[in-house]
Amino acid sequence: MQRVPISWLHTQAYCEYQIYLQHVLGVKAGPTTEMLRGTAAHHTLEEKHKEAAELALSVDEALQKAQKDVVVLAAREVRVEGALLVGKIDEVQFMPDRVRIIDDKPGFAAFPGNRQQVWGYCLAFEQCYRPALPVFGVLRNRDSGMEFWDGPFLEQQRLDVSNVVTRILSILGGQLQAERTANKNKCKPCRLKAACDAAGR
């Protein structure tokens, strides 16, 4: 069964034609400076978390301990595999009354793609670990640690994510044609612009 990387949900909201170019046509593109900076920043956050960690718990153990002892626990780089999604969550906070799925971003804008990606993490987490608590999605600034958006993961979000995943799989399978973004401002910094133009934009 093919699983979609959760980061593709952000790509799909930005311009799903990027998915077609890279994963159907096989267009290669090197990382941008911002991508390299982001990888380094996430690595730094992971190392800081490891240094501060006091307990070694599985996700199930953390869920139980947070409720039983009424404490807040946190884990970073939590791998999730849902029915059709796979990825690593930047941070999961286990609280007595809820689970918070946190995605670190370089800015402070809750763009549709940012929200769509964190909802994907929420869905995969629910399917993977079946928490008996409500799940919340959170967007946080990668550099300052300031949270700038959050919301409960409800049935509408589950449906929205499932529909997007179905669309991506249909593009990969050739049953659906990927759409290019209509926002030309997104095209200027795109690392796939040359391939897109060559494909007949």
Side-chain angles (χ1 to χ4, degrees):
M1 179 193 330
Q2 182 175 15
R3 287 187 172 92
V4 172
I6 296 170
S7 61
W8 291 13
L9 299 180
H10 183 278
T11 304
Q12 190 276 336
Y14 188 85
C15 176
E16 67 183 18
Y17 200 70
Q18 292 183 346
I19 295 174
Y20 173 75
L21 288 172
Q22 289 186 277
H23 306 291
V24 176
L25 296 187
V27 174
K28 305 295 183 184
T32 64
T33 300
E34 180 55 39
M35 291 169 67
L36 294 173
R37 186 181 297 121
T39 298
H42 278 79
H43 177 73
T44 298
L45 290 172
E46 171 68 3
E47 290 303 309
K48 287 181 178 179
H49 177 80
K50 287 180 179 179
E51 291 174 5
E54 298 178 357
L55 299 171
L57 301 173
S58 68
V59 169
D60 289 330
E61 290 169 339
L63 283 165
Q64 294 173 13
K65 184 173 181 61
Q67 294 175 74
K68 180 181 177 183
D69 297 347
V70 193
V71 295
V72 177
L73 304 170
R76 283 197 63 85
E77 300 297 321
V78 177
R79 181 170 176 79
V80 285
E81 289 190 13
L84 294 173
L85 290 167
V86 63
K88 281 187 179 180
I89 303 170
D90 288 336
E91 184 171 322
V92 179
Q93 289 182 352
F94 306 91
M95 306 181 79
D97 63 342
R98 67 186 62 186
V99 177
R100 303 177 81 232
I101 304 298
I102 301 174
D103 196 27
D104 290 319
K105 293 298 181 186
F108 289 92
F111 293 120
N114 292 346
R115 298 195 305 271
Q116 188 162 279
Q117 184 176 357
V118 80
W119 291 143
Y121 287 124
C122 290
L123 179 60
F125 185 89
E126 281 192 342
Q127 293 176 342
C128 196
Y129 295 108
R130 308 288 180 183
L133 292 171
V135 173
F136 284 71
V138 180
L139 295 175
R140 181 174 65 188
N141 181 266
R142 180 189 68 198
D143 302 312
S144 70
M146 181 183 298
E147 295 177 7
F148 58 89
W149 179 88
D150 69 16
F153 184 59
L154 305 174
E155 191 57 37
Q156 185 59 56
Q157 285 77 39
R158 294 185 187 93
L159 179 61
D160 290 345
V161 171
S162 296
N163 288 339
V164 171
V165 173
T166 298
R167 181 174 180 85
I168 291 173
L169 289 172
S170 296
I171 291 169
L172 296 177
Q175 295 90 21
L176 194 65
Q177 184 173 351
E179 294 183 4
R180 294 176 169 92
T181 180
N183 184 348
K184 296 297 180 64
N185 291 325
K186 291 181 178 180
C187 299
K188 295 175 183 177
C190 181
R191 61 199 180 107
L192 298 169
K193 186 176 186 303
C196 184
D197 290 342
R201 183 171 175 77

